[in-house]
Amino acid sequence: MVVLRLCVRLLSIVSLFIMARLLVPEDYGIVALAMSFYAILDVVTTFNFDLPLIQNQQATKDDYNTAWSLNILMGLFIAIGLLIGCYPIASLFNEPQLVPIFLCLAGMAIIQGFTNIGVVNFRKELNLKKEFNFEFGKKILSFLVTVGAGLLLKSYWALVFGMITNCLAGLILSFIMSSYRPSLSLKSWRSLLSFSKWMLFTNVLLYANNRLMMLIVGSSLNTKILGNYSMMKEVADITTVELVLPIQKALFPGYSKLTDDKPQLAQVFLNSIAMIAFFGVPIATTLAALNEHFVITLLGEKWLSESWMLKIFCLAGAFSLVTGATLSIYYALAKPQIVTAILFIQGAIRISLFSYFIIQGYITEALLSILVTAILSTALSLVISCRLLSLPVFQLLWPLTRTTLSAVLLMASLLLLTKWFPLQYNFFIDFLSMSVMTLIGIVVYTVCHFSLWYFTYNSQNTAYCSKATGAESIIIQLVKPKLSALRLRLST
């Protein structure tokens, strides 16, 4: 699942960097504005029926057919909403280009609703090779269409055509790759909604914590700033938040099979959090520290003036990584209402602060409010997770503390290195400088992390430091047999 997401996001990064040089911020702004309204309709109709199908190990054919039928109805609802609202919204924002975009998005919603529900079994049965082929197949086709249309049209239509291709490819591949053939039925709607109603609330709150920010920026500021905001957030999400999604998809069905063995579930949870933080936090920290080098090298000079946004988004993404890693445990334990509660608290604080600062014209402070609320939600989620699994809080926090201290040292070293490797506004020189600084930062982070673990491992008070839990122990257990085999091979 991690390889899948890396491949998908690699294509996204390549597409993003190509399109960033072909299009202007205004193009991204108009599509981001249209997608914000699409997301409003999508969020109030997305019940994530795949989750109860995975969580319920005895789901019936009626459950699958009902889920497919409800997805079709939700797609039609989105399409009708877009058709009704296209002209009023275009007039409200004085953007006539929104009308044809909305028409295309309406067709996309209908196509997506008919996707075969049988693909849910790829994850439920942990047949992740099929999941890889399905998701990567959609992405590669979408990538080819987006880049090809971008080279030919050099307009925002390339982005729209790419999204439609992704949905159409998903529809076709879902029926090719899954032998399940759904039929229209609503027999199990009550049992599905008993779980999925919380997913609706969660999706609304996720929208409020993400897409609503774009609407606030778009309504108060110009499309150029919105385009910069959208681009920097997308880049940050690719390298931070998106990293945890494939792990969540794999952990959720795995957690669901361990709910009857709480000690084993708790240990798997601890190891998962530690590993996600170990690999995800330094990526976010490095990108935050080298934001100017990254932007000018891979996006172009026209995006450089707003590269500071990338720094804040990446730091917030580092905390969101840890928060996101805890969500699967709530779903596996059939407690989706906890996710809803956490997102509600975060959203209430974030939207209030963000709106206030944007109205006052304080863009920097508005983005900092995203970082602050990300920290608060992470702390809250970790405490609740420990209570559910009967874990001492310190047993979870100490591995994360090692990661935090190592990330602080990483950030300090990279900021120092940027003084020695300033921007030269030359692609090859700046790319080489960024690569060298990144390699040095990786060494600093790894040495610091393992040093802290080593001293903990050899300390007398190891009972509270949980020396057996942590990314370092897992990595050593994975690497040690391979090194032993290599040493034996070399000796012979």
Side-chain angles (χ1 to χ4, degrees), residues 198 201-202 205-206 209 319-320 322-324 326-331 335-350 373-386 388:
W198 292 106
F201 300 144
T202 297
L205 292 169
L206 282 172
N209 280 282
F319 288 94
S320 297
V322 180
T323 305
T326 63
L327 300 186
S328 295
I329 200 71
Y330 302 137
Y331 294 136
K335 295 184 181 296
Q337 64 270 25
I338 295 179
V339 180
T340 303
I342 293 173
L343 291 177
F344 177 80
I345 295 171
Q346 176 182 286
I349 300 173
R350 176 175 291 182
T373 51
I375 296 173
L376 292 175
S377 62
T378 299
L380 178 61
S381 186
L382 290 176
V383 171
I384 295 175
S385 300
C386 289
L388 278 178

Side-chain angles (χ1 to χ4, degrees), residues 435-452:
S435 301
V436 170
M437 288 188 287
T438 300
L439 290 175
I440 295 174
I442 291 173
V443 173
V444 170
Y445 175 83
T446 305
V447 170
C448 179
H449 215 297
F450 275 86
S451 297
L452 290 171

Side-chain angles (χ1 to χ4, degrees), residues 277-298:
F278 181 87
F279 289 104
V281 170
I283 295 175
T285 305
T286 300
L287 192 56
L290 303 181
N291 62 90
E292 291 186 346
H293 284 77
F294 187 87
V295 168
I296 199 169
T297 301
L298 300 175

Side-chain angles (χ1 to χ4, degrees), residues 136-194:
F136 189 69
K138 291 195 302 179
K139 189 60 186 180
I140 192 68
L141 291 172
S142 173
F143 169 79
L144 294 174
V145 170
T146 301
V147 174
L151 293 171
L152 290 175
L153 303 176
K154 292 184 173 60
S155 79
Y156 56 81
W157 280 110
L159 304 175
V160 177
F161 293 154
M163 290 186 290
I164 295 175
T165 301
N166 186 274
C167 291
L168 186 59
L171 173 64
I172 297 172
L173 289 174
S174 68
F175 281 92
I176 293 176
M177 297 181 64
S178 174
S179 59
Y180 185 80
R181 291 296 175 262
S183 58
L184 295 175
S185 173
L186 294 175
K187 291 183 179 180
S188 301
W189 69 272
R190 290 184 184 274
S191 60
L192 288 178
L193 287 179
S194 65

Side-chain angles (χ1 to χ4, degrees), residues 55-225:
Q55 198 273 335
N56 181 10
Q57 299 297 308
Q58 286 78 41
T60 65
K61 186 175 181 179
D62 286 336
D63 295 331
Y64 281 83
N65 290 338
T66 301
W68 184 66
S69 302
L70 290 173
N71 283 338
I72 294 174
L73 291 176
M74 298 302 103
L76 291 173
F77 178 86
I78 293 174
I80 293 172
L82 290 171
L83 293 176
I84 294 175
C86 60
Y87 285 103
I89 293 173
S91 299
L92 177 64
F93 284 87
N94 194 28
E95 295 287 355
Q97 305 99 311
L98 287 174
V99 174
I101 295 177
F102 273 25
L103 297 179
C104 291
L105 294 180
M108 185 179 77
I110 295 174
I111 294 172
Q112 193 169 26
F114 280 90
T115 301
N116 189 355
I117 195 66
V119 298
V120 170
N121 286 330
F122 298 165
R123 274 189 291 147
K124 182 172 183 177
E125 299 168 2
L126 292 176
N127 190 349
L128 301 181
K129 182 178 180 180
K130 278 192 173 183
E131 179 79 4
F132 179 94
N133 293 334
F134 175 67
E135 294 292 342
F136 189 69
K138 291 195 302 179
K139 189 60 186 180
I140 192 68
L141 291 172
S142 173
F143 169 79
L144 294 174
V145 170
T146 301
V147 174
L151 293 171
L152 290 175
L153 303 176
K154 292 184 173 60
S155 79
Y156 56 81
W157 280 110
L159 304 175
V160 177
F161 293 154
M163 290 186 290
I164 295 175
T165 301
N166 186 274
C167 291
L168 186 59
L171 173 64
I172 297 172
L173 289 174
S174 68
F175 281 92
I176 293 176
M177 297 181 64
S178 174
S179 59
Y180 185 80
R181 291 296 175 262
S183 58
L184 295 175
S185 173
L186 294 175
K187 291 183 179 180
S188 301
W189 69 272
R190 290 184 184 274
S191 60
L192 288 178
L193 287 179
S194 65
F195 185 101
S196 293
K197 65 184 179 182
W198 292 106
M199 297 309 305
L200 174 62
F201 300 144
T202 297
N203 290 328
V204 171
L205 292 169
L206 282 172
Y207 176 88
N209 280 282
N210 294 285
R211 286 283 181 179
L212 186 58
M213 305 301 173
M214 291 190 182
L215 285 181
I216 295 171
V217 174
S219 61
S220 303
L221 306 172
N222 56 54
T223 55
K224 182 178 181 180
I225 295 178

